[in-house]
Each structure stands twice: as C-alpha cells, then as structure tokens.
Amino acid sequence: MVDILHKVGIKGSSPDAVYKVLTTLEGLSAWWTTDTHGESKVGGVILFRFGGGGFDMKILELDPGKRVLWQVVDGPQEWIGTKVSFDLERRDGWTIILFKHAGWTEPVEFMHHCSTKWAVFLLSLKSLLETGKGAPWPNEIKLDSREEGRAN
C-alpha cells in the first residue's frame, strides 16, 4: 500500500476554523468542489462531483479542531476503500494540516495526478482561510489537457 501525504500551514487561522471548512458542505464547496452534497456527520456520506465524475466519502471520524477521517465508498476504482484524513495542530500562530490519502494499492499514473490535485485543492483551502477566497472546481489550477472541460 502507498499513501499520498501533504503538509499545509494556515497562518492566523484556528484549528476550529480549519475544521469548519473541512466538515460543512458550505466550507467544502468553497475550496474543493462547488458541487458538494450529503450529510456531514459521522456515518453520513458526502458526494463530491467534478462535472461528469466524483467521489462519495463516508465520514468515519470527526474530532472537532483535531481530525477528520473519510473513507471512499464510490468513485474511481483506485479510490474505493482508501481513506482520507486531515489532522490539525496549532503551532506558533499557524494551524498545521497533515493530510493523508491512504491505502492506494500501487503508485499508478492516476495516483501521481491525484497527489498533485490534492496539493492544488489544499492550497485552495489555505487561500480560503487566509484571504477569504478559495479556488474550488471548476476554477482550480488545471494540470493538463485531460482536465480542460471535463472532470478530474
């Protein structure tokens, strides 16, 4: 198994503020995809859509101001069963996010793409909290011609 790992610091934002944008439909749609629906509670499923495709995430754990854990229950085959976590910690006026997309069976090309896209969206989250404006799909940075005009 292989994992995608990222670390992002949010200056001047509390872990509670970061947690809120990770756990509310309004917050998620402001940094990841504008097409976000579902139940944002433990046991609930959130549907994230990107044009023609997307992911369904079951919420496994919510620890306010500290941790969010999802499991992919529908989406691309490579994602099914993987887990996405956000661990939050306050350090020197910054909230640090340790992000993990765990459980990939092998590092296929799609994993390379997804790793970079996670970074793009985590920087959108950072921008949302530091400036008030994120860049969720469909307005995020595109990585290649494959993304123009279609889902990630």
Side-chain angles (χ1 to χ4, degrees), residues 128-146:
L128 174 65
L129 288 160
E130 291 182 350
T131 72
K133 183 157 176 52
W137 180 89
N139 302 309
E140 88 286 7
I141 295 169
K142 306 297 188 230
L143 301 180
D144 58 34
S145 60
R146 173 183 159 260

Side-chain angles (χ1 to χ4, degrees), residues 30-82:
W31 67 268
W32 194 12
T33 174
T34 57
D35 192 356
T36 299
H37 307 278
E39 285 189 278
S40 55
K41 63 180 185 178
V42 173
V45 175
I46 302 177
L47 292 76
F48 299 97
R49 296 295 175 261
F50 301 82
F55 317 99
D56 295 357
M57 305 283 194
K58 182 176 183 179
I59 301 171
L60 299 181
E61 184 180 338
L62 296 174
D63 187 355
K66 294 182 181 174
R67 181 171 169 80
V68 174
L69 177 63
W70 303 327
Q71 183 168 27
V72 182
V73 294
D74 197 16
Q77 186 60 42
E78 297 91 342
W79 281 49
I80 304 293
T82 62

